[in-house]
């Protein structure tokens, strides 16, 4: 799994414009926008960090026999999902804001 991938979006003139996937907002953002706007770059970085943390969390799932460890693991999962939701809300607010 790549945390952030770079693709090219074909504009109306057929030139490839580099874009970054931003899964928290279910969209892509231009590399130029990410480099020029600190808030967009922060979203890209935070989204990548959150995706990596979530993958790590899923990988560390304890056995059902370890009840206390499983409760802590589940609480950590709730925190990660809440962080993803806050990031999604921030992305919508930041990216959909009028210029």
């Amino acid at each position: 799994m790549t945390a952030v991938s770079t693709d090219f979006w074909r504009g109306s003139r057929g030139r490839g414009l580099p874009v970054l996937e931003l899964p928290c907002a279910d969209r892509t953002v231009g590399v130029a926008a990410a480099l020029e706007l600190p808030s967009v770059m922060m979203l890209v970085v935070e989204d990548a960090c959150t995706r990596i943390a979530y993958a790590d969390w899923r990988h560390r799932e304890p056995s059902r026999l370890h009840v206390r460890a499983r409760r802590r693991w589940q609480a950590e999962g709730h925190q990660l999902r809440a962080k993803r939701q806050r990031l999604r809300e921030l992305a919508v607010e930041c990216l959909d804001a009028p210029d």
Side-chain angles (χ1 to χ4, degrees):
M1 177 181 93
T2 58
V4 176
S5 67
T6 303
D7 283 325
F8 285 91
W9 177 78
R10 301 280 176 212
S12 60
R13 298 182 187 240
R15 291 190 312 241
L17 301 173
V19 295
L20 297 168
E21 292 181 13
L22 192 59
C24 71
D26 295 326
R27 64 176 72 183
T28 59
V29 294
V31 171
L35 292 174
E36 293 173 8
L37 302 169
S39 58
V40 175
M41 180 57 78
M42 185 272 312
L43 285 172
V44 170
V45 171
E46 284 295 322
D47 184 61
C49 291
T50 302
R51 290 176 63 198
I52 291 168
Y54 191 76
D56 176 63
W57 169 79
R58 289 193 50 100
H59 180 72
R60 293 183 287 109
E61 182 176 3
S63 166
R64 294 184 189 277
L65 299 175
H66 297 104
V67 177
R68 279 185 271 167
R70 191 154 182 88
R71 282 189 195 137
R72 287 189 302 268
W73 180 80
Q74 289 172 334
E76 183 182 355
H78 290 302
Q79 290 174 341
L80 286 170
R81 285 187 288 279
K83 182 177 180 178
R84 277 198 319 194
Q85 182 59 36
R86 286 190 306 270
L87 190 57
R88 178 180 295 278
E89 292 166 1
L90 183 60
V92 167
E93 182 182 311
C94 177
L95 298 174
D96 293 342
D99 293 337

